[in-house]
Amino acid sequence: MAHLRFEALRKLNERGRVPVDLPKPLISQFFAENVFGMEQLRATLAPAIFKKVSSAIKNHEKIDDTTADAVASAAKSWAIAKGASHFTHWFQPMTGGTAEKHDSFFDALSGIEKFKGSELVQQEPDASSFPSGGIRSTFEARGYTAWDPTSPMFLYGKTLCIPTIFVSYTGETLDAKSPLLKALKAVDVSATRVCQLFDKDINHVTASLGPEQEYFVVDKALFMARPDLVMAGKTVFGHAPARGQQMEDHYFGSIPGRVYDFMKEFEIECWKLGIPVRTRHNEVAPSQFEVAPLFEEVNVANDHNQLLMDVMSRVADKHELKVLFHEKPFAGLNGTGKHNNWSLITNTGVNLYAPTSSARDNLLFLTFFVTTIKAVHEHADLLRASIATAANDFRLGANEAPPAIMSVFIGSQMTAVLDELEKKGNVKIEKGDNMYMKLGIDQIPEIILDATDRNRTSPFAFTGNKFEFRAVGGSDNCATAMTALNLIVADQLDKFHEAVTAEIEKGTEKRLAIVNVLRKYIKESKAIRFEGDGYSDEWVKEAAKRGLSNIKNTPRALDAYLSKKSLELFEKHGVLSHKEVEARNEIRLEAYIKRVQIEARVIGDLAMNHIIPTAIVYQNKLIENANGLKGLGVDNKTVVQTIKEISGHIDAIKNGVREMIEERKRVNKMTDTHKRAIAYCEDIKEAYFDKIRDAVDKLELLVDDEDWPLVKYRELLFLR
Ligand code: ADP
Ligand code: MG
C-alpha cells in the first residue's frame, strides 16, 4: 500500500502547470455566450411571442403550447448553431447535486433535428432511481420534470440544459428547486404587501443570493491514494501536520501556481455560462480557497452555484487536481461552508436591508431588519434543520465554524439603534413627510458600513446591507436553506402586516403603528441577538440560559421540520404539504444513515486492511531489533516500550472496529428510520469514530514513514 503513496508523491513532483488564457481579451466579449437568456429570446422570437414569454416569466404564469413551441424551436436553432447535439432537463433531486438525462435533437423517423415545445415543457426521466422518501411507493411510481423558465437555458458541452423542477405524478415535489420557487413567491407577495405600507409603486420584491463557495484543492494522484477521500469525500484518519493553520499565513498568501491556473480556467468556463464569479482568494486553512459570485436572484444564483460546483470538478480534472466541497475533509482544520449572502430588493431598486440617510426610508429598512430577526428567533430550529447533514455535523460547533446554536449578529451600531428604539422609541411625526425619531437613525449609513464591525463567529450576521447565513454546508444545495429563510421571513412579514393593520384600525397613525409593532418585536426576539464569540464555551452556557436550542446532530435537528409550527408554516404558504415534509425528512434521514454507514465502513476497511498490517510489519522489525539488542546485551527497554505501545493501539483499533461492526448489525435491524439515524449517530459515529481514529493517528506517529500507507496531511495540504 505504501507504494501507492510514494508513487503519487513522485507524480506530484513531476507535475507542471497548465497555462490558461482568456479566450478573448475582455470577459465582456464572451460572458454568457453559452446562455440562452432573455436577450437571445428577444433576438430570435417574434415580438408578440417574446412579450408573452417575458410576461409569463415575470409573473410566474404558465406558458401556452404555441409559445413553448416557438421558444423550443428558437433554443434548438441557437444550440445547434453552437454545436449542440442533445438537450436535457437539468434538475436537482434530493440526493444533492444535479441530474440529467440527455436526448438527441436528431429524430431518426423524420431524419431531421427536432425539439418540440412539449419536450421543452415536460419530460419523464426514470424517476425510480431518485429518492422519494416513500412518496412513490405509496402513491405514484413515476415523476416528471417541468421547465422552470425563470432560470435561463444554457449550453454545457454539447448539450442544451433546461433548468427544471421534478415532481411526482401525484403532484408531490421531489427536488430542491420546487419548494424554493414557492418560498420565493411567498416572500415576494408578503414583502410587497408590507412595502405598500410605505410606497405604492412597489409591486414586486425579489430575494437575492450571493453564495461564497469555499473549497479545498488537492492533487489528483494523492487523492486517489486515499481511499477515504475517494469513498467518503473526507479523510477519516490523518495526524495533524507539524504546521497547520496556526501560522495564519494562508489567508492572504499567494495562490499556488497550479491552483491559480485551475481557478483561471474554471472562472472562464463559468463566465461563458453566465455565472458572475468575481472574487477569488485563499481561505484560512492550507489548500483552502473561496470563490464568490456577484449576487443574483436566489433561484438563478442557486442554479449557478450547483453548476459552478460541477464546472469546478470537471476543470480540476484537467489540472490533475481534485476539488473537495465536503464540510469537514480534514480534522483539525477549518471546515468548508457556503456563506449565503441574502437580501430583498424591490422592483424600484431598493435593497430593503440597506439603511439610508432618510428617516422615512430607514423605517422601511428597520421594518425588514427587525422582522427578519424576529423570524429567525421564531424559527431558529427550522433554520438549523435546513442546513443539517451528516457532513455539516462535523463542522458546526467544531470551534471554528458557526456554532449549532442559531443566533443573529447585527454589530454594535445597529444594536445601539435597536436598544434606543426599544427603550425610548418616542417617535414624533411632524407635518408632511418629515418624521423625526429620537434615535439618530439618520446616522445609520455612515456607521454601519464600517466594515471593521464584523463577527466571523456568528451563523447569521448582518453585514451592512445584507444578512449572511453562514451555517450552510460547503457541498449542500443552498435551496433548502433559502427555502426556509425566505419562508420564515414571508410569514413574519404577514404577521407584521396584520399587527400594523390592526393598530391602524384602532386609530393609530400608520408610522406610529409600525414603530409600535417593531418595538414589540425587538423585545420579543432579543434572546436571539448575540454579539460575542460564538465559538466560546461561555456562549454555550449563555445560550442555554436564554433558552436557545443547541442541536448538535442531524437526526435530532430534522425534528424541527415536523413540529406543528413548521408544518403549518409550510402548508399555509403552499410551499410543502405535510406529506411532502415527511417524505423529505425521511429522505434526509436515510441520506444521513448512508453517509455515516459509508464512513464507518471506510474506517473499518482502512484500519483493518491497511493500518494494522502496516503496524504489524513495523512492529516485527522492532521485535527483531529488540532481540538483536538483547543478544548483544544492550538495553532494549525503549524498543520494547514502543512494541507494547503499538500493540496497545492495534488492540484498540481491532476491538473498536469489531464492536462497531456488531453495533451496525444491531442498528441496521431497526425499522424506524428516525431511531436508526439516532443510533447511527450516537451508537456508531459518536461511540467509535474518534476512538478508532485516535489510535490510528497515534500509530502514524510511531510507524516508519517509509511504511505508512496513507498520504499524510502535510503531503496533501501543502500543494505548491
Ligand atoms: P464579504 O466581505 O462577506 O466577502 P462581499 O461584499 O465580498 O462581502 O460579498 C460577499 C457576497 O455577498 C458576494 O457574493 C456579493 O455579491 C454578495 N452580496 C452583496 N450584496 C448583496 C445583497 N444585497 N444581497 C445578496 N448578496 C449580496
Ligand atoms: Mg462573507
Side-chain angles (χ1 to χ4, degrees):
M1 184 62 196
H3 73 273
L4 243 184
R5 173 175 156 227
F6 289 105
E7 177 64 19
L9 288 170
R10 193 186 54 74
K11 273 192 191 152
L12 181 71
N13 276 329
E14 287 168 5
R15 299 264 197 240
R17 291 185 57 172
V18 181
V20 176
D21 291 316
L22 284 183
K24 287 176 189 151
L26 295 174
I27 297 165
S28 55
Q29 290 166 325
F30 63 93
F31 185 77
E33 69 176 21
N34 289 339
V35 179
F36 190 69
M38 275 298 167
E39 254 173 65
Q40 286 69 22
L41 280 168
R42 190 200 306 276
T44 48
L45 293 176
I49 303 232
F50 173 74
K51 223 173 125 193
K52 264 197 197 168
V53 177
S54 60
S55 109
I57 291 173
K58 207 152 116 206
N59 302 310
H60 306 270
E61 287 155 1
K62 207 173 150 16
I63 289 174
D64 65 60
D65 294 352
T66 339
T67 313
D69 274 333
V71 174
S73 165
K76 180 197 72 181
S77 305
W78 172 84
I80 287 178
K82 287 177 132 329
S85 56
H86 287 66
F87 68 92
T88 183
H89 276 203
W90 182 80
F91 59 104
Q92 298 163 25
M94 297 290 294
T95 37
T98 55
E100 45 205 79
K101 179 191 140 219
H102 297 205
D103 281 302
S104 171
F105 284 123
F106 180 67
D107 173 52
L109 270 183
S110 58
I112 54 168
E113 273 73 18
K114 277 187 173 169
F115 186 37
K116 296 195 292 265
S118 55
E119 291 171 310
L120 164 67
V121 172
Q122 194 166 314
Q123 286 278 298
E124 267 179 60
D126 177 16
S128 55
S129 52
F130 296 109
S132 64
I135 282 183
R136 272 195 315 266
S137 52
T138 333
F139 300 95
E140 168 57 67
R142 285 174 306 163
Y144 60 91
T145 50
W147 178 32
D148 164 22
T150 59
S151 182
M153 294 178 233
F154 56 92
L155 186 65
Y156 199 35
K158 299 234 168 284
T159 305
L160 174 70
C161 297
I162 302 151
T164 55
I165 57 166
F166 182 34
V167 193
S168 82
Y169 267 159
T170 39
E172 286 83 16
T173 60
L174 298 173
D175 68 341
K177 188 194 260 269
S178 317
L180 176 65
L181 289 174
K182 290 173 182 168
L184 293 173
K185 174 91 186 148
V187 85
D188 178 6
V189 170
S190 308
T192 302
R193 193 183 298 131
V194 169
C195 284
Q196 294 240 333
L197 291 169
F198 298 83
D199 181 352
K200 296 285 178 209
D201 286 341
I202 297 176
N203 49 41
H204 263 305
V205 173
T206 308
S208 29
L209 167 65
E212 299 166 55
Q213 177 73 56
E214 293 176 334
Y215 59 96
F216 277 90
V217 176
V218 297
D219 182 83
K220 193 171 154 188
L222 300 184
F223 174 94
M224 298 308 283
R226 291 266 338 196
D228 46 359
L229 279 178
V230 175
M231 307 297 290
K234 65 173 281 192
T235 56
V236 296
F237 306 135
H239 202 279
R243 181 176 131 180
Q245 59 192 54
Q246 68 275 61
M247 300 291 288
E248 294 174 346
D249 56 354
H250 186 67
Y251 195 73
F252 290 114
S254 64
I255 296 167
R258 287 178 61 205
V259 178
Y260 181 66
D261 296 336
F262 156 66
M263 285 175 171
K264 261 170 56 181
E265 183 161 359
F266 87 66
E267 285 173 352
I268 290 170
E269 293 310 311
C270 284
W271 287 324
K272 288 184 193 162
L273 288 162
I275 306 173
V277 292
R278 194 150 169 242
T279 322
R280 54 165 102 111
H281 64 74
N282 286 354
E283 263 302 325
V284 183
S287 284
Q288 193 186 29
F289 308 91
E290 181 189 291
V291 50
L294 189 70
F295 68 91
E296 301 176 278
E297 183 274 320
V298 174
N299 177 40
V300 174
N302 189 49
D303 281 0
H304 279 166
N305 179 254
Q306 290 288 304
L307 189 54
L308 167 91
M309 292 198 285
D310 197 74
V311 170
M312 286 173 72
S313 302
R314 286 179 201 229
V315 173
D317 214 52
K318 281 173 71 177
H319 293 257
E320 308 288 353
L321 296 169
K322 278 279 177 186
V323 46
L324 312 176
F325 295 113
H326 190 286
E327 282 72 4
K328 193 75 182 173
F330 303 102
L333 295 180
N334 270 12
T336 298
K338 183 140 56 189
H339 294 180
N340 279 211
N341 295 271
W342 170 88
S343 72
L344 295 172
I345 299 173
T346 69
N347 60 301
T348 55
V350 175
N351 174 358
L352 293 164
Y353 294 98
T356 72
S357 51
S358 114
R360 191 189 72 141
D361 292 344
N362 271 336
L363 190 57
L364 177 61
F365 156 71
L366 280 174
T367 293
F368 278 84
F369 184 73
V370 171
T371 306
T372 301
I373 297 170
K374 169 82 172 153
V376 174
H377 182 243
E378 284 293 307
H379 297 283
D381 288 355
L382 184 61
L383 270 191
R384 165 70 183 92
S386 77
I387 47 109
T389 61
N392 216 10
D393 281 359
F394 287 103
R395 172 178 168 253
L396 299 179
N399 285 326
E400 38 76 10
I405 307 163
M406 288 296 130
S407 68
V408 184
F409 168 85
I410 59 173
S412 54
Q413 318 298 342
M414 282 312 299
T415 301
V417 169
L418 294 200
D419 286 351
E420 282 278 317
L421 184 53
E422 180 196 342
K423 282 188 205 98
K424 304 205 190 90
N426 47 351
V427 181
K428 219 165 69 192
I429 310 288
E430 291 174 352
K431 267 187 240 110
D433 235 11
N434 293 329
M435 184 176 70
Y436 167 75
M437 285 194 240
K438 260 198 169 166
L439 293 168
I441 289 180
D442 309 8
Q443 304 300 321
I444 296 171
E446 290 83 38
I447 307 169
I448 59 167
L449 289 181
D450 175 7
T452 55
D453 197 10
R454 294 235 163 159
N455 180 328
R456 295 271 162 204
T457 69
S458 174
F460 198 86
F462 181 65
T463 44
N465 61 354
K466 60 191 177 342
F467 277 101
E468 191 170 330
F469 189 17
R470 301 200 181 113
V472 183
S475 69
D476 217 354
N477 185 319
C478 305
T480 315
M482 282 293 113
T483 300
L485 178 59
N486 286 286
L487 175 62
I488 65 174
V489 171
D491 193 64
Q492 198 60 54
L493 286 167
D494 283 357
K495 290 191 175 126
F496 172 84
H497 190 270
E498 266 168 46
V500 169
T501 313
E503 283 239 14
I504 294 173
E505 276 166 10
K506 277 192 281 176
T508 315
E509 201 275 343
K510 184 169 81 185
R511 282 166 291 183
L512 268 183
I514 290 169
V515 169
N516 287 345
V517 177
L518 291 181
R519 292 185 70 191
K520 183 166 164 279
Y521 280 8
I522 292 171
K523 280 198 195 89
E524 289 169 351
S525 60
K526 219 167 171 180
I528 201 81
R529 276 162 45 200
F530 179 61
E531 302 289 307
D533 179 1
Y535 302 167
S536 67
D537 292 338
E538 292 77 62
W539 172 229
V540 175
K541 285 180 211 138
E542 165 70 17
K545 253 193 255 161
R546 293 188 189 185
L548 301 179
S549 317
N550 181 5
I551 309 168
K552 294 243 171 60
N553 63 57
T554 295
R556 293 194 193 277
L558 287 175
D559 288 346
Y561 273 96
L562 298 172
S563 72
K564 193 162 167 280
K565 189 159 87 173
S566 299
L567 288 170
E568 279 172 9
L569 181 72
F570 279 106
E571 289 214 304
K572 182 177 152 205
H573 296 273
V575 171
L576 289 170
S577 68
H578 191 141
K579 196 165 80 185
E580 285 171 319
V581 174
E582 275 185 349
R584 271 158 203 271
N585 255 27
E586 189 78 8
I587 291 170
R588 290 175 67 182
L589 287 171
E590 288 285 1
Y592 177 87
I593 292 168
K594 281 185 196 138
R595 289 292 288 262
V596 179
Q597 190 175 44
I598 289 170
E599 203 166 320
R601 285 188 189 140
V602 171
I603 290 173
D605 289 354
L606 277 184
M608 299 305 284
N609 302 331
H610 300 251
I611 306 299
I612 290 186
T614 306
I616 290 175
V617 168
Y618 181 63
Q619 197 184 34
N620 283 339
K621 285 189 201 167
L622 293 181
I623 291 170
E624 225 172 89
N625 176 251
N627 287 336
L629 289 173
K630 198 176 164 193
L632 293 171
V634 179
D635 179 13
N636 66 3
K637 238 182 19 227
T638 48
V639 184
V640 171
Q641 183 55 35
T642 310
I643 293 168
K644 283 184 185 161
E645 264 180 63
I646 292 177
S647 286
H649 297 316
I650 289 177
D651 286 350
I653 294 171
K654 274 192 179 158
N655 292 336
V657 172
R658 202 194 52 232
E659 285 168 30
M660 183 169 77
I661 291 171
E662 287 310 311
E663 274 301 279
R664 286 213 318 269
K665 283 188 194 151
R666 179 184 69 82
V667 170
N668 284 340
K669 291 199 192 89
M670 299 168 86
T671 45
D672 182 281
T673 320
H674 187 255
K675 289 204 179 103
R676 188 153 32 95
I678 288 182
Y680 256 98
C681 173
E682 291 169 2
D683 303 340
I684 294 169
K685 182 187 112 178
E686 286 172 10
Y688 295 104
F689 283 14
D690 281 350
K691 212 158 90 182
I692 297 171
R693 176 176 194 137
D694 190 56
V696 172
D697 289 356
K698 292 230 169 72
L699 280 178
E700 185 183 324
L701 293 183
L702 292 173
V703 172
D704 186 352
D705 184 60
E706 291 291 318
D707 296 337
W708 193 252
L710 295 176
V711 177
K712 294 189 172 179
Y713 270 25
R714 63 159 194 270
E715 294 157 345
L716 274 169
L717 289 165
F718 291 91
L719 189 71
R720 284 291 154 214

